[in-house]
Amino acid sequence: MRKIFVRYGAAALLLGFLAILALDVNGQEVSGTKEIRVYIDRQILVAFDGGKQIYKFDVVTGKEGKETVAGTYEIFRKEKKYVSKTYNVEMPYTMFFTADGKAIHGTLMAPLRSHLKSLGADSIGSQGCVGLTDDNAKVLFEWAPKGTPVVVIRGEEDEG
């Protein structure tokens, strides 16, 4: 009986320790295999977990002069309700990924703006953020913990 307790007690202790390692200092889950890719030319965002596509959403990215910059980032701050200090607009389910304030968040008329932008209307777009519908922003906000990589891609790279 004692051997069984020691064996399973040690396993439970190890599992508990591993669970603690998966949390950041605020008790939030830290991303392990999750990744968000934003395809600027196609105006889509694809969320992956362990290499498997989980979500695919239409998005609107930066307009001419306020482009969303290609690169690899990570979500470092999340705000369920946020108002832009620069533009004084609501940005629901905001996930910041750059130090200068670029974020993924809900925005008005995201699908229409996304399609017009993907057809070449460069004057249509965001101020550099990645906008999607409020409903899609909420889904992504709940799915992606802080630390999730955000890869912004310009060009024809395959989406997965």
Side-chain angles (χ1 to χ4, degrees):
M1 182 76 168
R2 180 180 159 94
K3 285 183 180 181
I4 291 172
F5 177 76
V6 170
R7 176 188 288 168
Y8 291 108
L13 183 63
L14 178 60
L15 287 174
F17 179 71
L18 292 174
I20 290 169
L21 288 178
L23 301 177
D24 71 7
V25 294
N26 297 317
Q28 300 281 331
E29 177 188 354
V30 176
S31 178
T33 61
K34 293 181 178 184
E35 180 180 89
I36 296 170
R37 295 184 199 162
V38 178
Y39 296 91
I40 294 171
D41 292 351
R42 286 179 273 153
Q43 293 294 284
I44 60 170
L45 177 153
V46 184
F48 295 92
D49 194 349
K52 180 181 173 194
Q53 180 179 314
I54 306 299
Y55 300 111
K56 183 176 180 179
F57 301 126
D58 289 332
V59 296
V60 60
T61 59
K63 62 185 173 185
E64 192 173 319
K66 296 281 188 175
E67 289 84 3
T68 306
V69 178
T72 301
Y73 311 92
E74 75 174 40
I75 296 168
F76 65 89
R77 179 177 161 206
K78 294 174 65 172
E79 300 287 342
K80 197 176 215 176
K81 294 181 180 183
Y82 185 78
V83 176
S84 167
K85 291 169 183 54
T86 305
Y87 302 104
N88 195 30
V89 296
E90 291 184 12
M91 297 167 39
Y93 305 104
T94 300
M95 297 184 290
F96 291 96
F97 62 88
T98 72
D100 67 346
K102 303 296 186 295
I104 299 169
H105 62 82
T107 191
L108 296 174
M109 298 187 290
L112 175 61
R113 291 166 61 202
S114 173
H115 292 298
L116 290 172
K117 185 156 176 57
S118 68
L119 292 172
D122 288 335
S123 63
I124 294 176
S126 71
Q127 301 296 324
C129 288
V130 177
L132 56 166
T133 67
D134 290 356
D135 289 342
N136 291 346
K138 180 180 181 188
V139 167
L140 199 63
F141 184 91
E142 292 172 350
W143 176 82
K146 285 193 282 185
T148 300
V150 177
V151 182
V152 179
I153 300 162
R154 182 175 298 279
E156 294 301 317
E157 183 176 321
D158 184 20
E159 61 186 73

